[in-house]
Amino acid sequence: ALAFDEGQGETARDQSGLGNDVALHKVAWVAGHTGGGIGFSQQGSYGRIEEAYLPVKEAMSVAAWVRPQYPETGYGPVVVIGSGGVDRFEFGFGPDNLYPVISDQQTHSGGALYVGGMKALIPPGTWGHIAICAGPDGATTYINGKPVARTGYVGSFDFTTKEVFIGVRGAEQYHGDLDELRIWNRCLSDDEVATLARQ
């Protein structure tokens, strides 16, 4: 649970009590959706947890407030959990799209969770809420509290490496702001996501 309310320094403190503090590199402290936030305005800015304690296996949900600047081409990763092409949970922005990818060596979400027309849903430079929830009953992408894409998903999240990157994946960079990043070891309900998006 990362509120990004510190306002200064190179560490974002985990409020869950699990010790998942994020080391920050070249990020800007900005006004968030609620309180403070962080901004990825320059190349090479990112957050990282080398070995996160994520007691998840059957289900996972990731939610955050984002204020994106959509890339003209390519992909801007917001959150990447895990490692490699077959062992990760992530989402990021394309030129007018949201790209969630869930892969656990057994099942891959493919393009079923992708959302087009994102500039109409979250206009550039404005705050919007994103949630990706997955578990034994399937996976769902939520935009501003509403389910917009669903797919079947049967797998596990006992990832080999629980590294977390925020704002970067390799040479790919997210440009925009981030606030209230949270990760759960269960699949949130439609009502729970709608409540988060109203806060």
Side-chain angles (χ1 to χ4, degrees):
L2 299 161
F4 302 115
D5 287 339
E6 289 81 1
Q8 62 182 352
E10 298 180 348
T11 304
R13 301 295 180 188
D14 176 18
Q15 298 181 332
S16 73
L18 297 178
N20 290 316
D21 294 347
V22 176
L24 303 174
H25 184 72
K26 294 185 178 180
V27 304
W29 293 99
V30 300
H33 178 266
T34 304
I38 55 173
F40 302 86
S41 57
Q42 60 176 310
Q43 199 66 25
S45 58
Y46 64 89
R48 183 186 183 194
I49 309 172
E50 289 191 27
E51 184 64 24
Y53 176 62
L54 298 175
V56 301
K57 187 172 182 180
E58 297 292 328
M60 181 183 283
S61 298
V62 178
W65 285 95
V66 295
R67 183 162 56 187
Q69 296 295 339
Y70 294 89
E72 292 184 9
T73 61
Y75 173 69
V78 179
V79 180
V80 181
I81 302 169
S83 64
V86 294
D87 192 10
R88 72 188 195 276
F89 190 131
E90 73 173 86
F91 74 88
F93 292 98
D96 192 19
N97 305 281
L98 180 75
Y99 295 96
V101 176
I102 305 171
S103 177
D104 68 351
Q105 302 183 18
Q106 301 176 46
T107 307
H108 193 289
S109 63
L113 295 173
Y114 294 6
V115 181
M118 281 299 301
K119 288 182 178 179
L121 297 171
I122 302 178
T126 65
W127 285 105
H129 191 264
I130 304 289
I132 317 296
C133 306
D137 295 328
T140 305
T141 299
Y142 298 86
I143 308 295
N144 293 326
K146 298 179 180 179
V148 294
R150 296 190 192 271
T151 185
Y153 189 86
V154 178
S156 67
F157 298 100
D158 190 16
F159 292 159
T160 303
T161 300
K162 293 185 174 69
E163 191 170 33
V164 178
F165 278 101
I166 303 171
V168 69
R169 189 186 71 176
E172 297 169 314
Q173 180 84 43
Y174 167 60
H175 292 284
D177 300 332
L178 178 67
D179 195 12
E180 299 294 338
L181 172 61
R182 302 180 187 180
I183 303 171
W184 290 261
N185 61 352
R186 60 187 181 86
C187 194
L188 299 179
S189 69
D190 288 359
D191 288 344
E192 286 176 307
V193 175
T195 298
L196 286 173
R198 289 194 296 267
Q199 294 177 346

